[in-house]
Amino acid sequence: MSRFPAWLRVAAALFAVGWGANQFAAMLLVYREHDGASSEAVTALFGAYALGLIPALLIVAPISDRIGRRRVMRPVLVLSFIGTVILLVGGGHLGVLLVGRLVAGIASGAAFAPGSAWVKELSADGPPGTGARRAALALSAGFGSGPLVAGVFAQWLPGPTVLPYVPHLVLMVGVLALAWHAPEPFVPRSKDEGRRRSQVWQAMRSRRFLLGVTLTAPWVFGAAATSFATIPTFVDIGVAPVAVTGALTGLTLWTGVAVQPLGKRLHDPRLIISAGLGAAAAGLLTGLVLASSGAAWLVVPAAMLLGTAYGLILVGGLTTIERLAQPDDLGTLNAVFYSLTYVGFAAPLLSTLVLNTISPEQLMLGGVAMIVLTAPLVLLSQPRAGVTVPGRAPR
């Protein structure tokens, strides 16, 4: 395995866990059509994943800051495999599927922040932001590939509630072999828990975090989930709807992969995030036109615009965290950031409920209004010249 760069071996683990986390997105229509589950039940299952993920993020990431990344990631990869097995055997039993989604969420939460920190530590020889971009690319590629492959399997192969999960199981076997002995560089870690907690709290109280991260992070998955779980419901997709849903998910998230290198050119995380918010507004306005006109083809540009928003806001947020964090609290701050991004997974369920009382056009306009109020605050998130986060050197 030494022929593979160390960071790539860890990135492969993030890719595989991301695949398992999001493959369920392509299955929403399957459970509605084959098992008669309601839209509310299926979107609740989709969002329930975050109920397992957020606590795991906040609990496991600080542990990885103390005991190291590899000791955390090994059992997590096994847990991701188990979560997919539960979904595979769940069939139309919503209770079993709920357990599978929670397990997938726990595995994802326990992997994303430590794994992103590990990739960053293995990318220390690159320019600033290299580790954040590599981690974001690996996760986004996994998020996009899982539903794309699952959608094809569910649409055209027998056993639509079983076979779509098999590719992830095969992938995990290979990744376990690849990443199990990935090296972990030495990173000095403080044993002073009080000081470490103080560092994290100081970073979270900074203007850069409060205005640049807290207000915008939910748009990462809020934009993406709106693209493939909400906007397509505004029109009737008559041809291969399951495969189309998977393809839209893949298009959204792979667009996010494609635009992330743009962050390297923009340099300033404020500009990266602001560009992402602009793309989100454009995507929602495209959804508004789709809803009012019934032009189904508009799901494609809407997915690409919202995917652009996803990718830019994700890499902008991770770059901000990388610049704020000390080496021994990077995993913890990554966990807080990812927790905020996954608040956006509630968007499809909230949209389903809200659409009982307002029109799709009003829903899209409401989202644009939120962006218009948020965007100026991002530009104010940079501290004044000469002002630094306590305990940190200017970066």
Side-chain angles (χ1 to χ4, degrees):
M1 300 298 179
S2 58
R3 63 182 179 275
F4 294 102
W7 70 265
L8 185 59
R9 294 163 66 181
V10 180
L14 286 175
F15 171 84
V17 176
W19 178 305
N22 212 37
Q23 61 188 330
F24 193 82
M27 304 298 289
L28 301 179
L29 281 177
V30 174
Y31 293 118
R32 287 175 191 162
E33 294 182 357
H34 286 76
D35 301 308
S38 67
S39 296
E40 290 82 1
V42 173
T43 51
L45 281 174
F46 180 69
Y49 157 85
L51 297 179
L53 180 141
I54 292 175
L57 272 170
L58 298 176
I59 293 170
V60 175
I63 294 174
S64 79
D65 282 338
R66 292 197 300 271
I67 69 173
R69 316 303 182 194
R70 186 169 55 201
R71 290 172 65 184
V72 166
M73 288 291 289
R74 282 177 169 176
V76 165
L77 294 177
V78 176
L79 190 62
S80 178
F81 183 94
I82 293 171
T84 294
V85 170
I86 296 172
L87 291 173
L88 184 149
V89 303
H93 302 288
L94 295 183
V96 178
L97 293 175
L98 175 61
V99 172
R101 286 295 286 165
L102 290 173
V103 171
I106 293 169
S108 300
F112 291 165
S116 296
W118 196 0
V119 169
K120 188 265 181 183
E121 291 161 359
L122 290 169
S123 303
D125 57 342
T130 298
R133 287 189 295 273
R134 286 172 172 173
L137 284 168
L139 282 172
S140 301
F143 289 148
S145 299
L148 180 61
V149 173
V152 171
F153 274 53
Q155 184 70 59
W156 287 297
L157 294 182
T161 62
V162 175
L163 288 184
Y165 296 114
V166 172
H168 180 244
L169 298 179
V170 175
L171 174 66
M172 287 304 306
V173 171
V175 166
L176 279 164
L178 183 67
W180 194 262
H181 294 291
E184 185 174 3
F186 173 75
V187 177
R189 306 190 192 279
S190 171
K191 296 183 178 179
D192 185 346
E193 288 300 313
R195 185 181 69 83
R196 283 158 49 87
R197 285 193 295 270
S198 176
Q199 287 179 171
V200 171
W201 180 240
Q202 288 170 351
M204 290 173 60
R205 291 170 54 198
S206 69
R207 181 191 301 181
R208 189 179 299 178
F209 188 92
L210 291 173
L211 299 183
V213 173
T214 303
L215 296 178
T216 62
W219 280 105
V220 171
F221 289 112
T226 297
S227 167
F228 55 75
T230 300
I231 288 179
T233 66
F234 298 166
V235 292
D236 180 25
I237 299 175
V239 180
V242 176
V244 169
T245 299
L248 284 174
T249 308
L251 177 63
T252 300
L253 297 164
W254 273 102
T255 300
V257 172
V259 302
Q260 284 174 21
L262 177 62
K264 183 177 181 179
R265 298 187 184 93
L266 294 176
H267 299 293
D268 189 338
R270 294 176 303 165
L271 296 181
I272 302 172
I273 294 171
S274 296
L277 291 174
L284 295 177
L285 289 173
T286 304
L288 184 154
V289 174
L290 179 152
S292 61
S293 68
W297 64 271
L298 287 173
V299 296
V300 174
M304 296 179 70
L305 286 166
L306 291 168
T308 298
Y310 157 83
L312 291 178
I313 299 172
L314 176 63
V315 77
L318 284 172
T319 302
T320 301
I321 295 300
E322 185 176 295
R323 294 183 180 184
L324 278 174
Q326 294 282 21
D328 58 355
D329 60 24
L330 178 61
T332 301
L333 280 176
N334 270 337
V336 175
F337 170 69
Y338 279 123
S339 297
L340 292 169
T341 67
Y342 273 96
V343 171
F345 256 94
L349 179 57
L350 293 175
S351 297
T352 300
L353 297 175
V354 169
L355 285 170
N356 291 324
T357 57
I358 66 173
S359 68
E361 293 89 343
Q362 290 171 323
L363 177 67
M364 297 293 98
L365 280 176
V368 173
M370 292 173 61
I371 292 172
V372 169
L373 293 174
T374 302
L377 298 176
V378 175
L379 298 177
L380 296 174
S381 64
Q382 183 68 34
R384 297 185 302 276
V387 177
T388 62
V389 177
R392 286 167 168 73
R395 299 180 71 176

